[in-house]
Amino acid sequence: MAVTPRGTSPVPPDARPRLTVLSGPSGVGKSTVVAHMRKEHPEVWLSVSATTRKPRPGEQHGVHYFFVTDDEMDKLIANGELLEWAEFAGNRYGTPRAAVLDRLEAGEPVLLEIDLQGARQVRESMPEAQLVFLAPPSWEELVRRLTGRGTEPPEVIERRLRAAKVELAAEPEFDTTLVNTSVEDVARELLALMDVV
Ligand code: ADP
Ligand code: 5GP
């Protein structure tokens, strides 16, 4: 399977990249923005990751994540079935490779919502991808959102906030930064970056 590198593609060189990576600290609002965007544009395809994390209330297998055991994750990694994977705050997460490559081959826009380590791996393996960083309006607001979501115990929130400091420092590595003040505005900006509207 070949994803045509930019420059040799038959599409004009200024065409938007098909693969978009959305990253940002836990609690910044990535899932909220993506859900809002897909409510109005269900044609935007979002990769469903595999994770060893336990489901939160309401999360469905195959919809929000493929919830896998440690052994299953070991196998996915060993068999080269993941485009990228990373350990984040005590759990492993990875992007199933085949589904993403199929969509790209069909010329469809593809969105990955993954952490910083994953974004770096995608940048290495698919330099044509555009990397978008979702930033909080302030550190205090990030803490408020992560705590207010109420899905993690305090020690997990602490761990995620430690990771958030590292992620915020890496913002300059990204092609574009969107500040999540308004979900509607960010969703619109993201759609424009993906050339969907
Ligand atoms: P992430 O997917 O980045 O971990 P979530 O989408 O779960 O973050 O959002 C974390 C919390 O912040 C949720 O309670 C969500 O409702 C809230 N939130 C998201 N975006 C905004 C926003 N623009 N303004 C206020 N609250 C927001
Ligand atoms: P959560 O547990 O809050 O759903 O996700 C925690 C972090 O893992 C978030 O930053 C999210 O973007 C990231 N993540 C989700 N799926 C993947 C994936 O497939 N690969 C990587 N590297 N990170 C992921």
Side-chain angles (χ1 to χ4, degrees), residues 52-68:
T52 57
R53 166 166 83 59
K54 299 282 168 280
R56 294 182 186 133
E59 283 185 334
Q60 290 169 272
H61 184 79
V63 177
H64 300 93
Y65 280 107
F66 295 107
F67 295 98
V68 299

Side-chain angles (χ1 to χ4, degrees), residues 33-46 111:
V33 164
V34 169
H36 182 82
M37 182 176 96
R38 293 183 77 224
K39 207 165 68 192
E40 283 164 26
H41 289 275
E43 75 275 18
V44 175
W45 187 77
L46 173 70
L111 180 62

Side-chain angles (χ1 to χ4, degrees), residues 42-114:
E43 75 275 18
V44 175
W45 187 77
L46 173 70
S47 163
V48 179
S49 298
T51 182
T52 57
R53 166 166 83 59
K54 299 282 168 280
R56 294 182 186 133
E59 283 185 334
Q60 290 169 272
H61 184 79
V63 177
H64 300 93
Y65 280 107
F66 295 107
F67 295 98
V68 299
T69 61
D70 264 317
D71 281 354
E72 287 167 335
M73 184 62 92
D74 287 344
K75 288 201 184 86
L76 289 173
I77 295 167
N79 294 338
E81 289 182 52
L82 300 180
L83 183 66
E84 59 73 37
W85 70 273
E87 181 161 341
F88 180 88
N91 293 298
R92 286 183 291 171
Y93 300 79
T95 304
R97 182 193 301 275
V100 169
L101 297 190
D102 285 352
R103 292 305 190 295
L104 289 175
E105 194 151 286
E108 293 170 22
V110 165
L111 180 62
L112 308 185
E113 194 234 285
I114 60 177

Side-chain angles (χ1 to χ4, degrees), residues 157-178:
I157 291 179
E158 276 306 309
R159 205 164 175 180
R160 285 175 177 243
L161 287 174
R162 276 200 301 278
K165 294 217 164 93
V166 177
E167 302 202 279
L168 288 170
E171 187 211 312
E173 294 176 34
F174 287 74
D175 299 310
T176 309
T177 294
L178 302 176

Side-chain angles (χ1 to χ4, degrees), residues 3-6 15-23 83-84 100-101 104 110-112 114 118-133 173-176 193-194:
V3 176
T4 318
R6 232 196 288 186
R16 297 285 188 180
R18 297 282 82 188
L19 178 59
T20 302
V21 173
L22 180 67
S23 289
L83 183 66
E84 59 73 37
V100 169
L101 297 190
L104 289 175
V110 165
L111 180 62
L112 308 185
I114 60 177
R120 285 175 171 158
Q121 291 173 47
V122 172
R123 166 129 289 168
E124 281 293 305
S125 61
M126 302 172 109
E128 69 278 14
Q130 68 171 335
L131 269 49
V132 179
F133 189 82
E173 294 176 34
F174 287 74
D175 299 310
T176 309
L193 285 171
M194 293 183 75

